[in-house]
Amino acid sequence: MAEVKRQTAQRAAIEQVFNSEQRPLTVEDIVKLGRNYVHSLNQATVYRNLKVLLKDGWLRQIHHPAFGNLYEKAEIGHHHHFHCRICGRLFSLEVCTCSNIDQAPKGFITLGHDVFLFGSCPSCSR
């Protein structure tokens, strides 16, 4: 028998955060933004719901060298990220220029890649 997952106000708030932000988020980001919808949202609830949303394939987890684990909607597909070193936000890039490049040493098998560009975003560059 398939497991029935009930839609809670907390999960709906987390989903709304990802639908409105359209960028990778830390757990702290999700808690802060999610409290705009459910004031009592806490870190434990976010982690519990992230686990479900990852298992369901609605979200995917990425690992940033400075921020650690971040989460984003899985429907976006393969892409890379830009990290603004001034405001600290992470932005999704629409294209991958590395898709056909295999730079691994001889004998290694490449299964995937992640690229993070660093600099300043348009808001911080003014």
Side-chain angles (χ1 to χ4, degrees), residues 37-95:
Y37 304 101
V38 175
H39 298 292
S40 62
L41 189 67
N42 61 49
Q43 198 173 52
T45 301
V46 169
Y47 274 114
R48 194 168 39 255
N49 281 281
L50 287 175
K51 184 177 177 182
V52 171
L53 294 169
L54 287 166
K55 182 180 176 191
D56 288 349
W58 197 81
L59 288 179
R60 91 166 131 237
Q61 183 178 15
I62 59 173
H63 186 78
H64 184 276
F67 294 146
N69 292 329
L70 296 137
Y71 303 88
E72 64 183 358
K73 289 176 69 175
E75 69 185 19
I76 298 171
H78 178 74
H79 63 284
H80 300 293
H81 301 92
F82 184 94
H83 173 190
C84 177
R85 292 258 172 110
I86 298 171
C87 67
R89 291 184 64 194
L90 196 64
F91 300 88
S92 294
L93 303 175
E94 294 182 18
V95 296

Side-chain angles (χ1 to χ4, degrees), residues 4-15:
V4 177
K5 294 177 191 78
R6 63 187 183 106
Q7 179 71 354
T8 63
Q10 290 84 359
R11 186 166 310 137
I14 292 166
E15 290 173 355

